[in-house]
Amino acid sequence: MTHVLNIASSILGQPWQWRATAADGRDGMAPDDLVTQLLLARGCPPEALDDHRSPSIRGFMPDPSMFRDMDRAAERLADAVQAGEPIAIFGDYDVDGATSAALLLLVLRDLGLEARPYIPDRLLEGYGPSGPALLRLKDEGASLIVTVDCGAQAFDALAVARDAGIDIVVIDHHKCAAALPHAHALVNPNRLDEGEGAAHGHLAAVGVCFLLAAALIRTLRMRGHFGDRAEPRLIDHLDLVALGTVADVAQLRGLNRAFVAQGLKVMAQRRNPGVAALIEASRLTRAPTCADLGFALGPRINAGGRVGRADLGVRLLTTRDPAEAQAIAIELDRLNDERRQIEAGVQATAETLAATGSRVAVVAGHGWHPGVIGIVAGRLKEKLGRPAVVIALDENGIGKGSGRSITGVDLGAAILAAKEQGILTAGGGHAMAAGLTIAEDRLDDLAVFLEERLGDAVDRAGEGRALLLDAVLSPAGVNAALVEAMEAGGPYGVGWPAPRVAAGPFRVIRADLVGTDHVRAIVAGPDGARLKAMAWRSAASALGQALLSAGPSRTLWLAGRPKLDDWSGRNVAELHVDDAAWVD
């Protein structure tokens, strides 16, 4: 395979290759149109180019009835709406859970029914529905409970609900076992017995909830429910769908691309008071981008469930009162700062423990805050280039763990298999992320199991490791016009990566540290163009050290993602550097 710029081993020891070659066998950049190049290189079929240039809900929306139990769930909810029946929405405490619950709460409110939200406390109750919580909701009057982003593995809790005469509708997207818990309806594209709907297994729970809401409105329409009243505008809630989809690291292909593309448009209008307050608390002065959902808005929603009150996110996203929204958003911003401080301490210890030769990093520690282990697992995965599982042990020797994986390695299925073999007390997830509960004396068993089950897949992922590029540019080619042109191929995220270019050759005019772990460099090309380059979390890496020590006498190629400089307020491009290679 041809190496871009003949770079077979960069400063970080990886070859540079064309993304288009990796995607479809083409060597180099053929056709002339930049957006067409970007779309084809990400696996877009040529016949679907028009749909992907402007992803629309109409163009990608499936018939909700294709999913098992969807019509049954919609019929039960429609009965409740028309009878004014008390409903409770039981959500998870992360962003996907909060947006899923908020979406259904708002749609039911639009239909004239005020449902009761319930978000379990991460520390006191743990993940998913429990028997006592479901019985408490029944005692408060709920005869129908909808679980969102949880429930697919809640066998015991749903058995309690069945015996108590509670109807449960489960809306989930996590991996399922062959057996399913008892429920009135269980909608999950990742059911093993799913048919056509399995093609949408990459949806986040909030995406499945959107499909349920569409099915509900259609069912009510067919019953003549809207003869004298307006139908809810489901499209107005796409901002929540976009936020949950990106924050849950769902792959941005197919319907998810439409959800995010259209949801960002809705979010820019700031119709939802909570979303508007969240944007303000995040100090964003422009319309949010896809990256903002994952790195600015999502973490603040998550902070409530991680180190604060679990229901803050749902309260924020469903309030009608701008003053209440502002107060909650400020509190979430404060909790997010607290979360960062806690996370830093756990991260430092986890990195020390993970310095082994294992192909799946499994680390555990007493006193670690369970609310930050997922973030630490993600950071560890990025640093090590392999799956990572981080486990917080309590005083009773019970561990709550969270794992993050790399492309091509299905961690969720492995965690589910470990549960079925009795290694875990509880566990589940999807390909890129998973959660678990484990006794301290089974930690070694888990490490051995994951090493044996996933080791070969990790090796294969490593063998194919290369930096994939979309274009090679002169120094002056990295400019604002290029960034704006490339954005037309978005939205970008997991499964639809942002464009990466190689540019140069550059001399490093000045390089310094920003914060404790970031490297900032001012680089210049032979054409006189100057550019700011940022290498995030790289100070101790070979890349960061190369930039800091290069000096103006040596030249190098830089590879990274062109961005607009948000901090300066000017329409100037900068390069977020992923790798570099010496010219001489």
Side-chain angles (χ1 to χ4, degrees):
M1 182 178 290
T2 302
H3 295 129
V4 177
L5 300 170
N6 294 318
I7 296 170
S9 183
S10 66
I11 286 173
L12 292 180
Q14 57 191 339
W16 291 6
Q17 296 174 357
W18 289 116
R19 192 186 306 276
T21 305
D24 59 16
R26 288 185 292 111
D27 190 4
M29 303 299 295
D32 294 335
D33 178 60
L34 174 63
V35 176
T36 299
Q37 294 173 11
L38 297 174
L39 295 176
L40 291 174
R42 280 149 187 78
C44 175
E47 64 274 13
L49 282 169
D50 288 343
D51 286 340
H52 281 78
R53 284 177 185 275
S54 299
S56 67
I57 303 299
R58 182 185 297 274
F60 286 92
M61 182 83 167
D63 181 350
S65 295
M66 75 162 56
F67 297 90
R68 287 190 178 273
D69 277 7
M70 180 67 83
D71 288 340
R72 184 170 170 82
E75 293 282 353
R76 182 65 185 86
L77 275 169
D79 290 344
V81 167
Q82 293 189 303
E85 183 179 350
I87 299 177
I89 307 296
F90 191 111
D92 188 22
Y93 34 65
D94 69 359
V95 184
D96 193 17
T99 53
S100 296
L103 173 66
L104 290 186
L105 289 164
L106 290 173
V107 170
L108 290 171
R109 180 186 293 169
D110 292 343
L111 292 167
L113 191 65
E114 286 289 339
R116 191 259 205 241
Y118 188 95
I119 307 296
D121 184 277
R122 180 189 293 267
L123 299 181
L124 300 178
E125 299 179 81
Y127 169 78
S130 65
L134 297 180
L135 292 177
R136 190 179 315 125
L137 290 172
K138 181 189 179 185
D139 291 343
E140 293 176 1
S143 54
L144 171 61
I145 300 173
V146 183
T147 72
V148 294
D149 197 29
C150 57
Q153 293 291 318
F155 291 90
D156 293 342
L158 268 58
V160 169
R162 175 196 59 201
D163 295 342
I166 309 169
D167 280 349
I168 302 287
V169 170
V170 175
I171 309 298
D172 206 349
H173 71 130
H174 294 100
K175 296 282 185 179
C176 291
L180 296 173
H182 175 84
H184 181 85
L186 195 158
V187 183
N188 184 337
N190 288 304
R191 286 176 55 155
L192 295 183
D193 61 349
E194 185 57 78
E196 290 181 87
H200 296 276
H202 59 289
L203 292 179
V206 70
V208 185
C209 286
F210 183 89
L211 295 175
L212 172 63
L216 169 61
I217 291 171
R218 182 176 63 183
T219 299
L220 289 170
R221 184 188 308 123
M222 293 173 63
R223 294 183 181 186
H225 184 73
F226 300 113
D228 58 353
R229 70 194 79 192
E231 289 190 18
R233 281 179 49 86
L234 191 53
I235 209 81
D236 288 347
H237 304 308
L238 279 173
D239 50 355
L240 302 183
V241 184
L243 177 56
T245 296
V246 173
D248 209 51
V249 202
Q251 290 202 5
L252 296 193
R253 54 187 176 88
L255 180 58
N256 280 345
R257 279 176 47 71
F259 279 153
V260 175
Q262 300 305 318
L264 285 170
K265 294 178 183 178
V266 174
M267 188 173 287
Q269 299 169 12
R270 305 193 182 193
R271 298 177 184 174
N272 183 305
V275 172
L278 189 64
I279 293 171
E280 183 177 350
S282 302
R283 292 167 283 281
L284 293 175
T285 56
R286 47 162 174 73
T289 65
C290 190
D292 294 326
L293 303 187
F295 295 105
L297 306 186
R300 286 170 169 80
I301 294 287
N302 256 335
R306 293 187 187 280
V307 297
R309 288 169 45 196
D311 66 343
L312 284 176
V314 172
R315 287 177 52 204
L316 173 71
L317 298 175
T318 56
T319 182
R320 298 185 179 97
D321 183 355
E324 181 185 20
Q326 183 182 42
I328 296 174
I330 291 172
E331 174 66 3
L332 286 172
D333 187 55
R334 183 191 68 78
L335 290 170
N336 193 46
D337 289 338
E338 181 181 334
R339 184 269 305 167
R340 285 195 185 102
Q341 296 174 14
I342 296 171
E343 174 197 328
V346 176
Q347 179 76 25
T349 307
E351 287 183 6
T352 301
L353 294 174
T356 69
S358 64
R359 292 172 290 183
V360 180
V362 178
V363 297
H366 285 277
W368 290 356
H369 196 298
V372 303
I373 55 176
I375 300 172
V376 173
R379 298 258 195 246
L380 207 56
K381 179 260 295 187
E382 290 296 330
K383 183 163 188 172
L384 300 175
R386 51 194 165 99
V389 178
V390 179
I391 300 167
L393 297 166
D394 66 18
E395 63 277 7
N396 299 313
I398 301 300
K400 297 291 186 180
S402 187
R404 298 294 183 269
S405 194
I406 60 176
T407 301
V409 181
D410 191 340
L411 181 62
I415 292 298
L416 192 57
K419 177 192 171 188
E420 291 172 347
Q421 290 204 11
I423 298 172
L424 303 176
T425 305
H430 47 81
M432 300 298 287
L436 59 91
T437 303
I438 187 172
E440 185 173 5
D441 61 6
R442 300 305 301 271
L443 288 174
D444 290 343
D445 296 333
L446 176 63
V448 170
F449 179 85
L450 293 179
E451 185 74 13
E452 292 177 350
R453 182 179 175 99
L454 299 178
D456 289 345
V458 174
D459 287 343
R460 286 192 297 271
E463 290 169 1
R465 180 173 171 262
L467 195 74
L468 301 181
L469 297 166
D470 292 289
V472 173
L473 305 171
S474 68
V478 184
N479 54 48
L482 172 81
V483 176
E484 292 170 358
M486 285 183 162
E487 283 303 308
Y492 299 108
V494 175
W496 200 268
R500 183 186 288 122
V501 304
F506 288 108
R507 291 178 297 112
V508 178
I509 305 302
R510 183 177 72 253
D512 57 1
L513 287 175
V514 177
T516 59
D517 197 25
H518 313 305
V519 176
R520 174 179 56 196
I522 303 300
V523 297
D527 56 5
R530 287 199 173 200
L531 182 71
K532 182 172 80 171
M534 293 294 306
W536 303 102
R537 300 188 187 90
S538 66
S541 72
L543 172 61
Q545 290 301 305
L547 292 173
L548 289 168
S549 63
S553 61
R554 299 193 70 183
T555 57
L556 42 66
W557 294 98
L558 298 179
R561 305 175 192 277
K563 303 282 186 180
L564 292 180
D565 183 357
D566 290 335
W567 293 102
S568 69
R570 299 176 295 128
N571 195 35
V572 176
E574 62 185 27
L575 190 67
H576 291 187
V577 181
D578 297 318
D579 200 358
W582 298 113
V583 175
D584 45 23

